[in-house]
């Protein structure tokens, strides 16, 4: 069982920055595929970004939704069992509850919510225009 706890959300003006953190319990954090998703009111949960687990053979370690490319950066610190989402150039359309997710399996996509087994409780990000 893995528990995920997000932090770092808040209210920011358009063009500003926020950094979200997701801290995981357990000793196998590095072996989990990790991702960030978001859900705005009245909308479905959508993929934001993902980072592969250690020992992945793919040359591509991170993935981003087109809407956040060049503005958001995902990273992980396996020693601290923590994943980060640095969000720059925030826009009003980035307003949502942000969730971190983790999955231990080698199969599954990085972008589909159903392919992640563990979820955090979410943290609100509000961007004012």
């Amino acid at each position: 069982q893995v528990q995920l706890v997000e932090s770092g959300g808040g209210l920011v003006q358009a063009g500003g920055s926020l950094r979200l953190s997701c801290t995981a319990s357990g000793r196998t954090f590095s072996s989990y595929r990790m991702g960030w998703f978001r859900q705005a009111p009245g909308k479905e949960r959508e993929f934001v970004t993902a980072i592969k687990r250690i020992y992945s053979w793919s040359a591509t370690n991170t993935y981003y939704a087109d809407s956040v490319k060049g503005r958001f950066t995902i990273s992980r610190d396996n020693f601290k069992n923590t994943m980060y989402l640095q969000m720059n150039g925030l826009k009003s359309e980035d307003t949502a509850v942000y969730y971190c997710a983790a999955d231990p399996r080698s199969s599954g996509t990085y972008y589909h919510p159903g392919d992640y087994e563990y979820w955090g409780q979410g943290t609100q990000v509000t961007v004012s225009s």
Side-chain angles (χ1 to χ4, degrees), residues 36-39 44-49 67 93 111 113:
W36 289 98
F37 291 76
R38 66 187 182 186
Q39 188 166 17
E44 293 187 352
R45 192 167 296 189
E46 66 172 4
F47 168 74
V48 177
T49 178
S67 58
E93 51 263 43
Y111 54 84

Side-chain angles (χ1 to χ4, degrees), residues 13-58:
Q13 288 188 332
S17 299
L18 280 176
R19 189 175 82 155
L20 305 183
S21 298
C22 172
T23 301
S25 63
R27 296 180 291 177
T28 57
F29 175 79
S30 62
S31 67
Y32 283 71
R33 180 175 76 249
M34 304 290 296
W36 289 98
F37 291 76
R38 66 187 182 186
Q39 188 166 17
K43 295 188 177 181
E44 293 187 352
R45 192 167 296 189
E46 66 172 4
F47 168 74
V48 177
T49 178
I51 188 166
K52 287 198 168 182
R53 59 188 186 143
I54 197 170
Y55 304 131
S56 168
W57 294 104
S58 172

